Every structure is written in C-alpha cells, then in structure tokens.
Amino acid sequence: MEEIKIGSHVRMAGKEMFLASVKEAESYGANVLMLYTGAPQNTRRKEIKDLNIEAGWAYAKQAGIREIVVHAPYIINLANTVKPETFELAVQFLEKEIRRTAAMRSHILVLHPGSALDAGAEAGIAQTVRGLNMVLDENEDEVFIALETMAGKGSEIGRTFEEIKAIYDGVNKKERLRVCFDTCHVNDAGYDLVHDYDGVFKHFDQVIGLDQIAVFHINDSLNPLGAHKDRHANIGQGTIGFETLHRLVHDPRFMEIPKILETPWLCAEGETKKTIPPYKEEIQQLLAK
C-alpha cells in the first residue's frame, strides 16, 4: 500500500530556519510539512540565501520527507477593490512568494482567495482573478497556486466550490491553479462531510474536479455545520469527529495528496498558555488502521 502523506504546519525560525522546520516535522513522525516563508502578518522576509534550504533538504531526505507545502501570508488580499494600495501590495507580495516557494523546492503555494469587504462576492472574485492574471501571466515558475476553501466568515470569498470555480473560469493560466481543501472550513461553510461524505466529494468533482485538490488541511471544527466561523479543533474534539477525518486520510483516491494538520496547540496541566504541539499524537491516531 502507498504511504499516506501526512504532516503539520511547522515553524521556520532561528539560525537553522528550514533545517529547524524539517527537524520539527520529523519529531512529529511526519513525512510532509507546511510552512510560511516568513511571518504571516507582515512583509518582512529573510533573504532566500539565509533560509538554510540546502541543509534542510539534506536532512529531509534522511528523515523521509520528500515534499513540502508553502502557505502564503494572510496579509495578501487579492479581492480588495476598496484600497488600491492593498491590492497592489498583494500582487507584488504574491509574486515574491511564488519565487520563494520555487526556491524552497515546493510546488504548492496555498492562498486564501481573499475578502471582498463591502464590495460583494462578485466584485471580490473579479478582483482576485485580475490579481492572479497579473501574477501568473508574468511568472513561469513551476508553482501551483492552491486556492483554499474558506469558511465564509465576514466577506471571505471561496466559501463555496462554485466561487472557487468562478476564479478558475476567469484565470488565463488555469493549469497553474489547484485547490487546498480545508475540512474545518468546508464544514463551517455548510458542506456536511459527516453525514454526506460521498455527496460532498461528488459535488466537488462535478464543480471543480477531484484531480484539482493539491493539498488537504485536516482540521476538526469547534463549530456546527454552516456556522461560517472558522475555529479549528483538535482531531476528534470537534463537530466533524475522528471517524470522518480518519476516513479522508485513508481515502484511496487521495493517497498522493499531502494532508496537513493545523490543529490548536495544547496547554500543559494548570497552564493557560498553549505550549504543547499535538501533532505527533494526532498523526499516530490518524494513521492507525
């Protein structure tokens, strides 16, 4: 049987940078990982030469890690039609992140489709399309932009499979697009994975195509179906539950697709600060037959 590709979001910091990311992933028993190339809430970035990429990959090969996923910072909002400077920053920064993703030898850059603010979903989608075309028409790197399925909080676009399809429809280089399927977000958007697992994926296949899923975010949800909230829960501790997430991780259709945990860290007994990563135990639970 093929090996399930599973890991978590890891940090990239300190002197070791990418090497530290790989060591962290190895400590969780992961064979894939996801990271930001810098802080997600600002534009400060270390130079590519300072990310320790060669040493990280040398260690990764020994640790059985063959693939990594990069997540674009959430300050990138291509859907913003209200502030031209925010849109321009998003375009410039996405161009830079694609180059950094390629330099890190990743082929997947996960991107939130953006928030339309008061302009409405249609205008937001059109603006995201405009931004993606500006970036992808000028960029030849072998990096796929994986549009993340969103929970639909506030004015987020990408809350339905149809909204993501509308972005595909407007982008010139459609072959450069993929989807990041987030279980918590899909649940909070109103897709019932628990009671209609096959139906949800059948619908996705009809609208976009299962072959377009490049990465899964495996998260339980603190919220009821359709809450449009986006609050991740630890595996088996939320409204999706262990059984459904285990089923997805072992789904033979998705064996080749990286599955990334973004579940909350835990508190030590008597503490209020979250200092304990849950990933080693959660990966073991999900891999169990």
Side-chain angles (χ1 to χ4, degrees):
M1 190 179 143
E2 287 178 85
E3 189 179 30
I4 291 168
K5 294 179 178 179
I6 192 165
S8 71
H9 202 126
V10 294
R11 297 156 296 178
M12 184 163 69
K15 283 203 177 94
E16 288 195 326
M17 294 303 284
F18 180 50
L19 177 58
S21 308
V22 176
K23 287 177 179 176
E24 184 182 345
E26 183 191 37
S27 76
Y28 303 148
N31 55 15
V32 293
L33 61 86
M34 183 174 76
L35 49 73
Y36 291 112
T37 76
Q41 69 276 22
N42 64 48
T43 57
R44 289 195 300 277
R45 291 292 179 271
K46 281 197 175 187
E47 295 293 325
I48 287 168
K49 65 179 174 55
D50 298 327
L51 299 181
N52 209 13
I53 295 169
E54 293 301 324
W57 273 114
Y59 193 99
K61 288 192 173 73
Q62 292 174 343
I65 294 168
R66 302 272 181 274
E67 198 170 345
I68 70 165
V69 176
V70 176
H71 200 306
Y74 44 74
I75 50 164
I76 292 178
N77 184 10
L78 288 180
N80 193 324
T81 59
V82 180
K83 286 187 174 174
E85 63 274 21
T86 303
F87 175 75
E88 282 160 26
L89 169 80
V91 168
Q92 289 164 7
F93 208 54
L94 183 57
E95 285 172 337
K96 188 188 278 190
E97 284 293 306
I98 290 173
R99 287 197 296 273
R100 292 169 72 82
T101 300
M104 294 210 64
R105 298 183 219 162
S106 170
H107 297 291
I108 305 169
L109 178 62
V110 175
L111 177 71
H112 291 182
S115 289
L117 305 175
D118 296 333
E122 205 172 308
I125 288 167
Q127 187 77 329
T128 295
V129 165
R130 184 173 158 239
L132 286 169
N133 281 332
M134 287 168 74
V135 172
L136 294 176
D137 286 354
E138 297 298 316
N139 176 281
E140 297 299 329
D141 282 311
E142 290 180 6
V143 172
F144 298 109
I145 303 286
L147 301 168
E148 187 164 344
T149 56
M150 302 306 289
K153 71 176 193 293
S155 60
E156 279 178 348
I157 59 173
R159 71 183 75 195
T160 66
F161 302 156
E162 285 76 11
E163 284 187 357
I164 291 175
K165 174 67 162 56
I167 297 171
Y168 264 78
D169 288 345
V171 168
N172 299 327
K173 289 188 175 176
K174 292 172 181 47
E175 68 279 5
R176 293 282 300 280
L177 294 182
R178 291 293 185 272
V179 175
C180 170
F181 190 108
D182 186 305
T183 55
C184 170
H185 295 175
V186 163
N187 173 83
D188 289 17
Y191 293 101
D192 194 351
L193 284 168
V194 179
H195 301 105
D196 190 24
Y197 180 91
D198 288 326
V200 171
F201 282 110
K202 186 179 178 188
H203 180 54
F204 185 95
D205 195 30
Q206 287 166 343
V207 176
I208 299 172
L210 291 179
D211 63 338
Q212 292 302 296
I213 300 174
V215 58
F216 283 100
H217 286 170
I218 305 292
N219 302 303
D220 216 324
S221 174
L222 285 174
N223 303 297
L225 183 71
H228 299 300
K229 284 272 175 56
D230 184 11
R231 289 167 68 223
H232 297 190
N234 291 98
I235 302 300
Q237 304 297 310
T239 57
I240 301 171
F242 177 78
E243 202 174 300
T244 300
L245 296 172
H246 183 271
R247 180 180 180 182
L248 198 163
V249 166
H250 290 264
D251 193 320
R253 295 173 295 180
F254 306 134
M255 278 295 153
E256 280 296 296
I257 300 173
K259 297 162 186 78
I260 302 291
L261 298 167
E262 301 176 306
T263 48
W265 281 34
L266 307 170
C267 301
E269 205 171 323
E271 298 288 323
T272 52
K273 201 173 176 204
K274 294 184 174 183
T275 56
I276 304 169
Y279 305 122
K280 185 177 183 180
E281 290 71 24
E282 289 187 341
I283 287 169
Q284 283 174 348
Q285 286 172 345
L286 285 166
L287 286 178
K289 293 286 185 284

